[in-house]
Amino acid sequence: MFIFGLAVVFKLLSIQFLQGNKYRAMAQERIIKDVVIPANRGNVYSANGNLLATSVPKYDIRIDALTPSAKTFEKYLKPLSDSLSKFSGKSSNYYQKEIRKARANRNRYYLLARNIGYSDYTRIRNFPLLNLGAFKGGLIVKQTTKREHPMGGIAQRTIGYERFDEDGNVTRPGIDGAYGIQYLRGKPGKRKKQQIGKGQWKPLSDANEIEPKDGYDVYTTINVNIQDIAHHALLEQLEKYKADHGCVVVMETKTGEVKAISNLGRNSKGYYYERLNYAVGESHEPGSTFKLMALTAALEDKVIDTSDVVDTRKGVLSFYGKKVRDSKHGGYGKISVAKAFEVSSNTAIVKVIDQAYGKKPSQFVDRLYEMSLNEKLGLPIIGEPSPIIPDPRIKNKRWSGIALQWMAYGYGVSFTPLQTLTFYNAIANNGVMVKPQFLKEVKEFDKTIVPFEKEVINKQICSKETVAKVQQLLKNVVEKKHGTGHKLYSKNFSMAGKTGTCQKDYRDKEKLNYISSFAGYFPADNPKYSCIVVIHEPDKSVGYYGADVSGPVFKKIAQKIFTDTPIIDEVASLEVKSASTEKEYESFYKTAQTYKTIMPNVVGLPAMDAVVLLENMDVNIKVKLNGNGIVKEQSISKNIKLKNNQTVVLKAS
């Protein structure tokens, strides 16, 4: 017994002194834990302050069916079930049966409502039994934060999100994803919590507590009015032509600010929604819209001129057994290079490029490079592919005996809609290529944290002379009767642009489809906005030419922007101070400060000034005014002390 006693004492001393720190730490871990306090994610706004994305709290309501006593459970079960029935529409008997089953099965986590808003949460927590709280009523509340888009599906893919799956993998499309880590997410805080029983924890305050820092708000360049116009114009045309998908981008010419971007794809049920960001991430052969790039390169190298005449050879040319055809059967005969562009003659454009660069194709490619067509735009939004331009010096199987000729009218090369638009915008901007901008500024409340300025990609893609020539060609495409875009012509406002109809999957005739596009800017003479519309796989039985499918979207956007947001030249007014007015004001101010209870001399003052002066004195008097203009008489002489409720009569003329 003595030895056993010594062993017990030894063990006690060992636990107390040798292993004490270890066991104290274990006990501390079980009753106290560090908890991360998530920061509030910043909001995403449009350029004019409309809310595009925000975080809202959502709640799951559960009940611990074992917590209430038997008496309390039986007393409140039916009233609780009646309240839940009114909330959800399910019967009261259903809830009575399910909650009883949960109690019998010792279910301490029975779900009553999932993913509800704050107003519904406050309503449910006041239901009978649940209003007794966690310890008497068994109420369990789990709060989460959900990202919502108040504008609905409009520009949702471009606005974006940051989403984690069960394995911790993250998806970050759009603006929200691109700027989430840097600006929107904020910094989480940290605090300790102590267990107080039944899975409940209370916060503890200590010196190591770190408060969360909320994320900044991001203001985009999106204009909700233009966005709404672009979205519905595109949607209407997609539905009309039963197309697979399409996109539209509207950009401010001088700054590169993207004012609207819509990407709509069709689901299995035939409905269109923001499926993917086609404008940023989908690269494809541009077809005839690339003729602008080809012609600009040739004009800049001075190997052709717009007045040169070319023979279209009945609308068919052959290169190594491969044929280039015009859409007009029999071709256009002998026409100028300018008219060839305006009617979008494939044979004419291919022929002049072949004659100019056939023996020196590297020169053509180098000119495209100098116009920055081979460079990515460097967008913050994830998913932009690199442009594809075949180069005879690069061994990647892209170059062939017909590569140059096919490039001339937009085949073999590949660009995203936004990359194509950036070039057209540079032409509208007199040769200055600016980077598309999606953000205006990052703010914390009303304080600007990071302003976003215009970024220039290429100070001058070509000479002013070349710019002027191609600007006139783009204008003629719409204005001249033979132009492929003449259907868009309007006397009310001017537009300039180029149609594009490109074959898709042309290597397999059974899968042959079309990409219809229109790229341009408006007004033609003083461009304010540039715009591109690209529609994939329209129903061939309805139509597939760019002028018919994509052109009307461009026109509707331009027309409505002119109607809803007219371009007005404002002349700032000059602030000119009048010496006499300044002197009159100083006299009035001096009188108002001097006379507080003594009747001043108001004869000669404007009647309204006299009334204001008297009514703001330190005595409560009544002022009666007869007439208008300048005060000629006052019923109480100056320097007389005034009394409360006294009436002063002024005569003015």
Side-chain angles (χ1 to χ4, degrees):
M1 290 296 294
F2 177 72
I3 294 172
F4 177 73
L6 287 176
V8 170
V9 172
F10 175 78
K11 191 64 177 177
L12 287 173
L13 293 173
S14 175
I15 292 172
Q16 181 71 23
F17 297 105
L18 299 178
Q19 297 176 295
N21 291 335
K22 173 186 174 183
Y23 287 115
R24 275 189 288 272
M26 289 174 63
Q28 190 81 348
E29 286 180 7
R30 290 183 179 181
I31 62 170
I32 295 177
K33 66 178 180 180
D34 287 322
V35 177
V36 174
I37 310 170
N40 291 322
R41 194 175 182 86
N43 295 329
V44 179
Y45 293 92
S46 70
N48 37 5
N50 298 92
L51 190 60
L52 299 179
T54 187
S55 296
V56 295
K58 293 292 182 180
Y59 302 87
D60 290 350
I61 307 294
R62 297 177 183 269
I63 186 173
D64 181 347
L66 292 181
T67 291
S69 65
K71 183 179 178 181
T72 302
F73 183 82
E74 293 300 332
K75 179 180 178 180
Y76 291 110
L77 177 59
K78 188 175 186 309
L80 171 62
S81 300
D82 291 343
S83 298
L84 289 169
S85 176
K86 290 178 182 178
F87 176 80
S88 69
K90 295 179 180 179
S91 70
S92 176
N93 288 335
Y94 167 82
Y95 282 109
Q96 290 184 56
K97 180 180 177 182
E98 290 298 314
I99 297 173
R100 281 191 185 279
K101 186 190 296 183
R103 187 174 175 90
N105 294 336
R106 305 184 65 83
N107 188 341
R108 311 199 71 159
Y109 207 58
Y110 179 72
L111 181 67
L112 296 176
R114 185 190 295 278
N115 201 34
I116 59 174
Y118 181 76
S119 59
D120 287 335
Y121 156 67
T122 55
R123 178 184 169 189
I124 292 178
R125 69 172 298 162
N126 287 309
F127 285 174
L129 187 61
L130 300 180
N131 60 4
L132 299 179
F135 299 111
K136 290 186 178 180
L139 173 66
I140 300 172
V141 179
K142 181 183 178 183
Q143 179 181 336
T144 56
T145 302
K146 185 179 179 182
R147 202 70 168 163
E148 290 198 347
H149 298 83
M151 294 282 291
I154 294 180
Q156 189 172 14
R157 195 73 190 182
T158 301
I159 297 166
Y161 54 83
E162 183 180 63
R163 187 173 297 162
F164 293 86
D165 63 16
E166 295 177 355
D167 299 323
N169 299 315
V170 62
T171 307
R172 296 191 182 100
I175 294 169
D176 203 310
Y179 297 101
I181 296 174
Q182 192 173 5
Y183 301 121
L184 290 164
R185 187 186 289 178
K187 294 182 179 179
K190 186 178 71 173
R191 73 164 23 145
K192 293 186 181 297
K193 282 190 175 182
Q194 182 180 28
Q195 190 174 29
I196 55 176
K198 293 189 177 180
Q200 301 296 314
W201 297 77
K202 73 172 184 179
L204 295 176
S205 296
D206 68 351
N208 296 319
E209 183 175 328
I210 301 172
E211 289 295 326
K213 180 176 176 56
D214 292 344
Y216 296 126
D217 293 331
V218 165
Y219 283 75
T220 70
T221 59
I222 300 294
N223 180 302
V224 292
N225 295 324
I226 298 177
Q227 178 68 43
D228 187 62
I229 292 167
H231 175 88
H232 287 97
L234 177 64
L235 177 60
E236 181 183 346
Q237 205 71 348
L238 288 172
E239 291 177 337
K240 178 180 178 180
Y241 283 88
K242 304 173 185 176
D244 182 71
H245 64 275
C247 67
V248 57
V249 184
V250 180
M251 192 158 71
E252 196 171 70
T253 304
K254 301 295 182 186
T255 64
E257 291 185 359
V258 175
K259 294 300 177 183
I261 177 169
S262 185
N263 300 276
L264 297 175
R266 185 175 58 188
N267 63 14
S268 58
K269 296 181 180 179
Y271 296 109
Y272 292 94
Y273 69 106
E274 289 263 340
R275 190 170 68 185
L276 293 170
N277 198 333
Y278 304 111
V280 171
E282 184 178 43
S283 186
H284 60 86
E285 292 176 312
S288 293
T289 53
F290 187 78
K291 289 173 182 173
L292 175 68
M293 292 77 154
L295 217 56
T296 302
L299 288 169
E300 186 67 8
D301 284 337
K302 300 187 184 303
V303 293
I304 64 166
D305 195 20
T306 54
S307 59
D308 293 347
V309 176
V310 57
D311 188 354
T312 62
R313 296 278 183 92
K314 296 184 179 181
V316 181
L317 289 178
S318 292
F319 297 92
Y320 296 98
K322 300 290 185 181
K323 288 182 167 48
V324 178
R325 300 179 186 274
D326 278 331
S327 58
K328 181 183 178 183
H329 184 70
Y332 298 91
K334 293 182 179 181
I335 55 174
S336 67
V337 170
K339 187 173 181 180
F341 182 83
E342 292 154 12
V343 299
S344 199
S345 169
N346 295 332
T347 57
I349 300 297
V350 169
K351 189 171 183 178
V352 295
I353 295 298
D354 177 59
Q355 289 175 346
Y357 296 105
K359 295 181 180 179
K360 45 184 177 179
S362 297
Q363 183 182 343
F364 180 70
V365 174
D366 286 340
R367 178 58 64 184
L368 298 180
Y369 288 173
E370 287 181 23
M371 295 190 296
S372 301
L373 283 168
N374 61 319
E375 300 171 7
K376 291 173 67 172
L377 299 173
L379 303 174
I381 296 177
I382 297 169
E384 182 196 7
S386 297
I388 294 174
I389 298 176
D391 189 326
R393 295 158 295 191
I394 299 175
K395 306 300 180 183
N396 56 6
K397 298 183 180 180
R398 294 190 188 280
W399 191 262
S400 68
I402 58 171
L404 174 67
Q405 294 76 17
W406 257 240
M407 286 170 67
Y409 71 122
Y411 289 90
V413 293
S414 187
F415 301 93
T416 67
L418 197 53
Q419 289 165 352
T420 300
L421 177 62
T422 301
F423 185 87
Y424 274 76
N425 190 79
I427 296 299
N429 199 23
N430 296 319
V432 181
M433 182 180 283
V434 293
K435 180 179 177 179
Q437 293 280 0
F438 288 93
L439 285 198
K440 285 187 76 73
E441 57 184 345
V442 175
K443 298 180 77 173
E444 184 178 32
F445 300 108
D446 292 331
K447 180 184 176 183
T448 298
I449 305 298
V450 182
F452 286 82
E453 306 294 339
K454 177 179 73 176
E455 291 186 45
V456 177
I457 296 173
N458 191 325
K459 292 181 180 179
Q460 198 68 41
I461 62 170
C462 59
S463 67
K464 299 283 187 182
E465 181 185 359
T466 300
V467 168
K469 287 180 178 180
V470 294
Q471 282 178 341
Q472 187 60 48
L473 295 181
L474 291 167
K475 189 176 178 182
N476 290 346
V477 168
V478 176
E479 291 188 357
K480 290 197 173 182
K481 290 185 177 180
H482 61 248
T484 55
H486 187 66
K487 292 179 180 178
L488 312 182
Y489 176 71
S490 172
K491 294 180 181 179
N492 300 322
F493 58 92
S494 60
M495 297 175 289
K498 181 72 184 74
T499 58
T501 308
C502 176
Q503 290 186 352
K504 182 179 182 181
D505 299 322
Y506 46 82
R507 291 180 177 86
D508 186 342
K509 290 186 178 181
E510 293 183 0
K511 294 181 179 179
L512 177 65
N513 239 307
Y514 291 89
I515 302 172
S516 304
S517 56
F518 190 95
Y521 50 85
F522 55 91
D525 296 321
N526 183 25
K528 174 74 172 175
Y529 299 106
S530 60
C531 177
I532 188 168
V533 183
V534 180
I535 294 178
H536 285 250
E537 301 178 26
D539 188 330
K540 296 189 287 289
S541 64
V542 183
Y544 56 86
Y545 285 111
D548 299 326
V549 181
S550 296
V553 179
F554 181 95
K555 181 178 181 179
K556 185 169 287 188
I557 292 169
Q559 195 170 22
K560 288 200 172 184
I561 287 176
F562 267 83
T563 304
D564 297 344
T565 56
I567 298 166
I568 302 171
D569 291 329
E570 296 183 359
V571 179
S573 61
L574 298 175
E575 293 185 6
V576 181
K577 291 186 177 181
S578 168
S580 60
T581 303
E582 290 284 313
K583 187 176 180 180
E584 287 177 6
Y585 174 76
E586 288 176 5
S587 175
F588 174 84
Y589 182 78
K590 184 177 180 181
T591 302
Q593 296 300 311
T594 303
Y595 296 94
K596 297 295 185 182
T597 59
I598 306 298
M599 181 67 191
N601 179 22
V602 296
V603 174
L605 287 178
M608 296 311 298
D609 286 353
V611 172
V612 170
L613 179 66
L614 295 173
E615 288 183 344
N616 284 280
M617 296 180 69
D618 288 349
V619 288
N620 186 18
I621 61 174
K622 297 178 181 178
V623 182
K624 185 177 180 182
L625 176 64
N626 295 326
N628 294 303
I630 305 299
V631 176
K632 299 298 183 183
E633 296 180 22
Q634 57 187 60
S635 62
I636 298 176
S637 301
K638 67 176 182 178
N639 298 327
I640 301 295
K641 188 173 178 63
L642 296 170
K643 300 176 182 177
N644 285 328
N645 298 321
Q646 195 170 0
T647 300
V648 178
V649 180
L650 304 178
K651 290 185 180 179
S653 62

